[in-house]
Amino acid sequence: MTATSTVTTPSALAPARGPWRTALADLARDRTAIASFAILMLIVVVCLLAPVYAHYIAHTDPFQSNVSGTTVVNGKTVPVLAPTTSGLGLGVTPIGPTGDVHHYFLGADSQGRDVMARLLYGGRNSLLIGLSSALICCVAAALLGVIAGYFGGVVDTILNWFFDVIWAFPVYLLAISLSVVLLTNGLRLGPLSVQAGSLWLPILIIAAVYVPYVARPVRGQVLALRGREFIQASIGIGGSDVRILRRDVLPNIAPMVLVFLPLMAAINMLTEAALSFLSVGVQPPAASWGTIINDGLGLLYTRPTVAIAPGLMVVITAVTLNLLGDSVRSALDPKARLRGAA
Amino acid sequence: MTRFALRRLLSTVLVLFAISVVTFLIFFATPGVDPAARIAGRNADPATLAQVRHEFGLDRPLPVRYVLMMDHLLIKHDLTSYVNRGAAVIPQILHAAPVTLSLVIGAAVIWMVFGILIGTVSAATRGTIADPVLMIVGVVGVSVPVYWLGEVVNLITQDKLHSGVFSWVPPLGYVSLTANPVQWALHLLFPWLTLAVLYAGIYARVLRGELLEALNEDYVRTARAKGLSERRVLIAHALRCSLIPIVSLFGLDFGALIGGAALLNEVVFGLPGLGLLTYNSLQNLDLPVIIASVLYAAFFIVLANAVVDVVYAAIDPRVRRA
Amino acid sequence: MKHYTIAAALASVALLSATAACGSGGSTASGGSSSAPGGGQSSSSGSSAPAGYDPAHAGGTLHLVANAAAGSLDPQVNYTLQYWQLYQASYDGLLAFTKTAGDASFTVVPDLATAMPTVSDGGKTYTFQLHSGIKFSNGQPVTTKDVVASFERIFKVSSPTAGTFYVGIVGATACLAKPATCDLSKGIVADDAANTVTIHLTAADPEFPYKLAVPHASILPADTPGKDMGTTPIPGTGAYYFASDDPNRQLTMKRNPYFKVWSVAAEPQGYPDEIIQTFGLTVEDEVTAVENGQADWVYDPLPADRLGEIGTKYESQAHVNTLTAMFYAPMNVNIAPFNNPKARQAVNWAIDRSAMVKIYGGTNLAAPACTFLPPDFPGHVDFCDYTAGGGATWTAPDLAKAKQLVQESGTAGQTVGVVVQSDDVNKQLGEYLQSVLNQIGYKAVLKPISPNIQFTYIQNTKNKVQISISSWYQDYPAASDFLHVLLSCASFHPGSDTSINISGFCDKPIDTQMDAALTSEQTSMTQANTMWGQVDKAVMAQAPTAPLFTPKLIDFTSSRIKHYEFSKQFYMLVDQLWVK
């Protein structure tokens, strides 16, 4: 369940031979890639339209508890949370899926909020966390990996050791420990200050946790590159480090990092969901698919939709991201292209 | 080779040290965490509070507390929990280890069988409809949140269909292998399957990639040229070589899982293994157990890494310089 | 939280005696001449036997489930309802609460003593006659030596209540300072020949008998080591003994082979041959296990979504019990925004109690609260300062009024942190409170933290908690148990983790009013209760807290369980259940 191995390291990439255009053309011919991308975009667009759905279609505020409210089902006014009247009359059951997009299409959660509206808003947060933490993680990892691989020596030793520590620290433990501290106190690092409960906390935590997974292969790649003639030549003619890094190293690292991006986004989304299960992800009343699953687990036996719907959304999104990742890899990896397989 | 192994050992010790320090510091940076008031009991008298604080060494400076804790854990082996007072930490871990081991070994058998099967079949059937279908199955496997799958499995087997198809499913929890092998297997069946879904997906995908690469290598072409059947080529030649990266991947995953990485799986299925122990200690903010289980987990991760590295170094001398 | 019930309630005893030494300990106390308070049945064993023992139902294994173990098994250390419930059948003190259902369960009766103690010297000396022939589960007979050693052991193991319950014993102060060398020979005098034990107190303490009836005063073998025994079981005198304890798996209790009934009221014979409590399942899974007959009883509070099913499909297996308790939202009166009375009143106007009741499980599980003292409690008067349309009981919130008050107070727009326990029910309550605070003009942030630390976290002023949700359960019926313990200046300790006055409310006139009520308890309980009613009104006008609702407790047992009895003191009588 760690994602230790979910990322398969792209096999060594050959130096760039104007690869971007070929790759794009490849992707455009790849039906799986197009389909995945289309579905992903559909999910993104629908989630972005969450306010439209909430305000103009469902007429509900998905962040406001509506414990005592009522709604209309088949023309009849019913309470959103119905108390049990038979037997000992214990417990209260939220309204189930009505199939009516205007009134609790997927039912209500235990606070009487519209699950459909929350699902859409939650998707925005899940996607935002997944994508931005993947981006931050990949950029940071590329930077650290390049520094470690290119400069070597003491820098490399220290960074490597740092990766080792994060790597060996069980992912959930690290995330949970950091979250507990940060969620009550917030983060104050010099001028940078993050409020407790801010969305940036899960993003930064998740990004930090996965840095070694990307940084290590990048470092290996840079090490390999350093030995190559063209870089040795650049060094030989007295090119500055910055110039060599920019002109020779980065272009060769970029495809690799790009391959990681969708895969990391998928993993990070799953991690976000897992962290929410442990109550350390996005904080209420804000929602993410993970927190809705967590809320829904308290209703699993009476209203399973609340937990199952966001779970399915996570699965679908992660599948499209993974497929997209595969396609990007085969498009950017000349060896894979040789094999002629998707 | 020996020097390389020694260097790995030194770095392993350093990594473990850093992890224990980080855990310790994070714990004491957490607000409201001071265990003295919780140990002493609600509204305890100030004198009792002071007594407890002293008895647990909580009135000492942080570095001293760290050294004391490590001394009790690693040298005297008598570190006890802050919450379940008197419960020594090491026996708790030793007691939880077989549960996790049962879970992981069973799941590993399942995921290796299915992973290799799916990977090989999909490589063998490339170009037909079976390949993409199998690969989609693999992708779904790696895209499912495990705890969510576990909860849904529980909903079905323990509640919705428990009076019907799944009436044979035993209650959640664990029965030891020595006590009752059949019940052991029955209790672990769904946890195994749930855990294996993720890894079967990963392994199938990796193996397929390796196989396709191998099929383009010279030795495979040679085998084909000798007139061997495509199946023989695939299984006898390509698969054998492609399994090497799989095995090293397996080493890493297995190490992490033995250390308690199956945390959510154990929580969802109520298995009293290391994951659940860690989870509970985090919920209770029980530092001695947290430290011990984190170190235990880290140890296996580092060990697996080291073993894989050393084995690779033995095969490929170039790695030693890296 | 059930978890806190006993602990919190008994802590209140501690505070009463430690801070106020308020004399009469509730309604049952009498001046302290010949018979001790609580000793309703001053005659000895057996005479007050409840129902007779039915051997036809003896036998079988009772399987209890709990999410997690409850810490050390040592009866002189543990301070949780979860294990105190089990200690009822395994350990005895000199006195005990009656093991029966209903109000009688608050009555203290002799246990290892043959009769209620003779009290002399103005309430400072208690003399107990020990039963002879009682044996520990290891076969050793109970002697006066064990009694003395057990009281010394309270201090040697730093029992949570050592400094609050038992510090009045002569010599105890020295023991508190130097536990290792604790010597109570002056305070607890044994006469081996006469088989009597005499306890000397430094001052009269009408509540002392209650303190002798809780597990921390259990009598254990004299040779028990003077340290927390943790998971190692200690022999006891009850009907059962603890056979094993693994805090990650299960706890096992078996019949004590040396047990013979000497007092049905104090220590009756139990029914199951074996009682086990297993740990590790989530509450949802525990409920499923009981529904499927795989376990017999769930310790933890039941999850809200299963209540409907439990109340209908499993109606006969659910047992609803009323509690005198409350859920409330303490507001910190010393920091913004709730240092402004209008802001606190606004919160009281705004909270929809019926919504809170719904979240807790509906009107059959909780009732809206408007006063600090729960209904049917001494001193309780029906009044409601914060309900739409006036009236003496709560009917509806008045959001408009609340918003207006927030505007008037000039605190609108401020950020408010809501600190709640991260378990399901409390988090839901917190989410609702957050939503209400946002509605009336604040920017509310929810901070769910581990149930294990929330209770101490919200008490410490250093954590700057603005508003939280907490609960309080009574120990015995006395208004001071709520008002004086939770809202007096004496129970406010800035900067400490143990400062049970969570609001930090210290109002001199109200404090004087409470002192007057305490004093008058010694002469007339009726008059005192009228005064407590006035204190309640004065407190609610200041609104340092928002009372939310009065909870009930449901026990959910498997279909094979019969003979369910609920003691108000220690809740379900575990060993009296029939599994056959």
Side-chain angles (χ1 to χ4, degrees), chain C residues 321-394:
Chain C
N321 303 289
T322 53
L323 302 172
T324 29
M326 67 162 171
F327 272 65
Y328 69 115
M331 290 172 265
N332 191 332
V333 300
N334 298 313
I335 55 173
F338 299 121
N339 52 2
N340 187 321
K342 283 187 175 164
R344 307 198 295 266
Q345 288 161 350
V347 172
N348 265 294
W349 281 107
I351 293 175
D352 182 351
R353 269 74 172 180
S354 68
M356 290 277 191
V357 164
K358 261 190 171 180
I359 291 170
Y360 193 72
T363 47
N364 288 329
L365 257 184
C370 219
T371 57
F372 205 72
L373 293 171
D376 302 326
F377 204 69
H380 172 85
V381 184
D382 270 345
F383 69 93
C384 198
D385 289 353
Y386 307 102
T387 177
T393 54
W394 188 87

Side-chain angles (χ1 to χ4, degrees), chain B residues 111-150:
Chain B
W111 93 58
M112 284 309 259
V113 168
F114 279 92
I116 292 174
L117 205 67
I118 295 176
T120 316
V121 170
S122 89
T125 57
R126 71 192 180 284
T128 73
I129 186 72
D131 176 28
V133 169
L134 283 174
M135 272 305 102
I136 295 274
V137 171
V139 172
V140 172
V142 299
S143 305
V144 178
V146 178
Y147 71 96
W148 176 79
L149 182 65

Side-chain angles (χ1 to χ4, degrees), chain C residues 420-560:
Chain C
V420 294
Q421 292 178 22
S422 58
D423 63 284
D424 223 35
V425 170
N426 278 291
K427 207 170 126 196
Q428 293 285 350
L429 294 173
E431 256 187 86
Y432 175 73
L433 181 57
Q434 178 190 28
S435 171
V436 168
L437 290 171
N438 281 332
Q439 261 178 316
I440 61 173
Y442 293 112
K443 273 187 277 186
V445 183
L446 189 66
K447 296 182 178 178
I449 59 179
S450 166
N452 276 286
I453 57 171
Q454 192 252 10
F455 189 63
T456 45
Y457 185 86
I458 59 176
Q459 290 182 53
N460 197 329
T461 51
K462 280 187 207 150
N463 296 325
K464 297 194 170 41
V465 175
Q466 292 156 302
I467 188 169
S468 54
I469 292 182
S470 194
S471 56
W472 189 254
Y473 291 70
Q474 69 125 28
D475 171 46
Y476 49 88
S480 61
D481 202 19
F482 275 72
L483 288 165
H484 192 262
V485 169
L486 297 178
L487 294 171
S488 68
C489 300
S491 42
F492 177 45
H493 309 289
S496 167
D497 271 356
T498 56
S499 170
I500 196 64
N501 183 342
I502 300 166
S503 301
F505 181 74
C506 179
D507 182 290
K508 291 293 177 223
I510 291 180
D511 231 42
T512 318
Q513 229 179 320
M514 287 201 267
D515 287 340
L518 282 172
T519 316
S520 87
E521 275 183 7
Q522 292 169 359
T523 48
S524 160
M525 213 58 210
T526 326
Q527 193 203 335
N529 282 338
T530 315
M531 293 171 79
W532 282 119
Q534 286 157 359
V535 173
D536 197 353
K537 280 189 181 153
V539 162
M540 283 315 297
Q542 295 277 328
T545 75
L548 302 175
F549 57 86
T550 313
K552 288 182 188 172
L553 176 114
I554 314 179
D555 274 320
F556 181 42
T557 55
S558 68
S559 56
R560 65 176 187 152

Side-chain angles (χ1 to χ4, degrees), chain A residues 41-312:
Chain A
M41 279 301 116
L42 185 70
I43 293 173
V44 170
V45 169
V46 168
C47 288
L48 285 178
L49 290 176
V52 177
Y53 176 82
H55 291 138
Y56 298 103
I57 301 178
H59 304 287
T60 173
D61 179 350
F63 305 114
Q64 184 66 53
S65 301
N66 187 20
V67 178
S68 303
T70 55
T71 185
V72 182
V73 177
N74 298 331
K76 273 184 285 183
T77 303
V78 292
V80 175
L81 299 183
T84 316
T85 47
S86 54
L88 295 173
L90 305 177
V92 173
T93 312
I95 194 163
T98 58
D100 171 1
V101 287
H102 300 296
H103 302 104
Y104 292 95
F105 180 65
L106 288 178
D109 66 7
S110 7
Q111 295 278 323
R113 299 172 298 207
D114 185 318
V115 174
M116 183 65 194
R118 282 180 73 73
L119 193 67
L120 298 181
Y121 272 103
R124 305 200 322 171
N125 281 339
S126 283
L127 290 165
L128 180 68
I129 293 175
L131 295 175
S132 50
S133 64
L135 200 65
I136 293 174
C137 173
C138 286
V139 169
L143 213 62
L144 293 175
V146 167
I147 292 174
Y150 185 80
F151 293 104
V154 184
V155 180
D156 185 31
T157 312
I158 292 174
L159 281 176
N160 238 323
W161 185 74
F162 174 68
F163 297 152
D164 275 350
V165 171
I166 298 189
W167 183 286
F169 208 109
V171 175
Y172 290 134
L173 274 184
L174 185 62
I176 292 171
S177 320
L178 285 174
S179 304
V180 172
V181 180
L182 297 180
L183 288 179
T184 39
N185 274 2
L187 178 73
R188 238 159 273 116
L189 273 178
L192 178 75
S193 134
V194 183
Q195 271 253 312
S198 153
L199 211 55
W200 282 102
L201 288 178
I203 292 178
L204 290 177
I205 291 170
I206 295 171
V209 161
Y210 287 110
V211 161
Y213 292 88
V214 184
R216 287 182 151 187
V218 169
R219 171 182 168 273
Q221 180 76 3
V222 174
L223 272 184
L225 281 173
R226 263 210 83 143
R228 294 285 181 83
E229 293 89 353
F230 69 100
I231 290 199
Q232 289 298 334
S234 294
I235 297 172
I237 59 171
S240 73
D241 285 340
V242 178
R243 191 187 149 85
I244 296 171
L245 281 176
R246 209 185 65 222
R247 299 247 338 225
D248 299 324
V249 178
L250 278 186
N252 284 290
I253 292 302
M256 178 178 192
V257 175
L258 198 70
V259 165
F260 267 112
L261 203 58
L263 300 176
M264 288 315 291
I267 290 175
N268 290 354
M269 253 184 49
L270 291 172
T271 309
E272 188 275 324
L275 286 184
S276 299
F277 174 68
L278 302 169
S279 302
V280 287
V282 176
Q283 292 305 302
S288 71
W289 286 334
T291 55
I292 303 173
I293 295 178
N294 194 25
D295 290 345
L297 289 180
L299 290 168
L300 191 64
Y301 291 80
T302 42
R303 297 286 176 231
T305 338
V306 184
I308 290 178
L312 286 178

Side-chain angles (χ1 to χ4, degrees), chain C residues 7-210:
Chain C
L10 281 160
S12 67
V13 181
L15 271 166
L16 265 181
S17 50
T19 61
C22 57
S24 69
S27 51
T28 49
S30 58
S33 50
S34 58
S35 119
Q41 281 88 18
S42 55
S43 57
S44 63
S45 56
S47 67
S48 59
Y53 186 76
D54 186 351
H57 295 287
T61 297
L62 178 67
H63 182 182
L64 315 173
V65 284
N67 178 254
S72 170
L73 191 58
D74 194 322
Q76 296 196 309
V77 172
N78 193 287
Y79 202 3
T80 66
L81 174 68
Q82 191 177 342
Y83 285 177
W84 279 30
Q85 220 169 354
L86 302 178
Y87 293 153
Q88 299 316 304
S90 44
Y91 293 106
D92 295 281
L94 293 169
L95 305 176
F97 285 94
T98 314
K99 310 287 192 304
T100 183
D103 288 333
S105 52
F106 277 131
T107 311
V108 172
V109 293
D111 191 349
L112 292 178
T114 57
M116 289 306 285
T118 324
V119 185
S120 54
D121 193 15
K124 291 204 285 190
T125 301
Y126 288 69
T127 307
F128 296 86
Q129 175 72 47
L130 284 194
H131 266 291
S132 47
I134 297 178
K135 284 181 174 169
F136 288 109
S137 54
N138 61 2
Q140 288 175 20
V142 178
T143 65
T144 55
K145 214 171 85 202
D146 299 314
V147 177
V148 178
S150 296
F151 278 94
E152 286 174 352
R153 191 170 180 276
I154 292 176
F155 297 93
K156 288 182 179 162
V157 298
S158 293
S159 178
T161 52
T164 44
F165 281 18
Y166 309 105
V167 77
I169 300 172
V170 172
T173 321
C175 285
L176 210 53
K178 280 201 172 136
T181 56
C182 179
D183 176 14
L184 285 179
S185 55
K186 294 258 165 42
I188 302 184
V189 181
D191 182 340
D192 217 17
N195 207 22
T196 60
V197 173
T198 306
I199 302 181
H200 297 287
L201 301 181
T202 51
D205 179 3
E207 286 159 18
F208 196 59
Y210 287 120

